[in-house]
Amino acid sequence: MEEPDEHTSLVKRVKQVQRESEESKQQWWAFCELEGKNRRDPQRHTLHSLRRFFQLREQGGLPKTRLEPGTHQSLVQKVKDAVRMSPELKQKWGDYCDKQSGGYRDPQRHSTKSIETFFEFYAAEPPSVTSGSL
C-alpha cells in the first residue's frame, strides 16, 4: 500500500537531487530510462520505484551519466544496467540469449539490432535509445 507522506517526501528528494548537479540529474534520467517508462516526473513514479532509485543510488548501482542515444555502446550499457537493476530483466535477457544468440550473454557480442529486438519484444520496452524502430 502506498503511503502518501512517504511518496511526497521521496518526490521532493528526487527533485532536490536533480538540482544538486548535472550528474545527479543524469542519474535520475538514466534510472527512468532503465525502468522502461522514461517518465522523468517523480510524481508519476510509484513509491516502490522511488525507493528503488534511492537504494540503487546509495549502493552506487546507477550509471553516472546517460550515454549518447543511438550508439551500439549505449545499448550495451543499457542491457548491463537493466540486468543489474532487475532480476526479472536479467532472467529475460538470459532466456533471450539462450534462444536467439547461442547463449552469449555479453551484450557487446550482440548486434545493435539484436539488442533493440530484446528491448522491443522481450523486455516490453521500445528501444528508446535509437531514433529508428524495427
Side-chain angles (χ1 to χ4, degrees):
M1 178 165 182
E2 299 253 335
E3 299 173 26
D5 292 339
E6 184 179 3
H7 186 267
T8 300
S9 173
L10 290 176
V11 166
K12 287 178 183 176
R13 277 184 64 196
V14 168
K15 290 179 179 183
Q16 181 180 4
V17 162
Q18 290 184 80
R19 287 189 291 267
E20 286 175 2
S21 68
E22 183 63 26
E23 181 180 300
S24 295
K25 180 170 69 172
Q26 292 293 320
Q27 281 185 325
W28 171 249
W29 289 4
F31 174 78
C32 294
E33 289 174 3
L34 291 170
E35 286 289 293
K37 295 170 182 64
N38 209 11
R39 290 185 212 140
R40 294 182 185 161
D41 179 0
Q43 186 66 42
R44 296 183 66 198
H45 283 256
T46 64
L47 178 58
H48 174 75
S49 176
L50 296 170
R51 285 176 179 160
R52 187 169 155 76
F53 169 72
F54 285 107
Q55 178 185 27
L56 288 169
R57 189 167 190 258
E58 289 167 11
Q59 295 171 348
L62 292 172
K64 297 283 185 216
T65 60
R66 295 168 57 227
L67 295 166
E68 196 59 37
T71 65
H72 179 74
Q73 194 56 42
S74 69
L75 288 168
V76 167
Q77 189 61 49
K78 187 172 182 174
V79 170
K80 289 179 178 182
D81 292 339
V83 299
R84 182 174 42 248
M85 289 176 58
S86 168
E88 180 183 353
L89 280 178
K90 183 176 184 176
Q91 180 64 46
K92 286 182 179 183
W93 175 250
D95 293 344
Y96 174 75
C97 293
D98 289 340
K99 292 175 187 170
Q100 303 294 330
S101 68
Y104 295 116
R105 284 175 167 65
D106 180 357
Q108 191 67 44
R109 296 182 72 179
H110 287 254
S111 68
T112 299
K113 181 102 171 152
S114 173
I115 297 171
E116 289 173 340
T117 299
F118 168 72
F119 280 112
E120 183 152 78
F121 296 106
Y122 292 83
E125 174 189 332
S128 61
V129 295
T130 61
S131 56
S133 59
L134 300 177

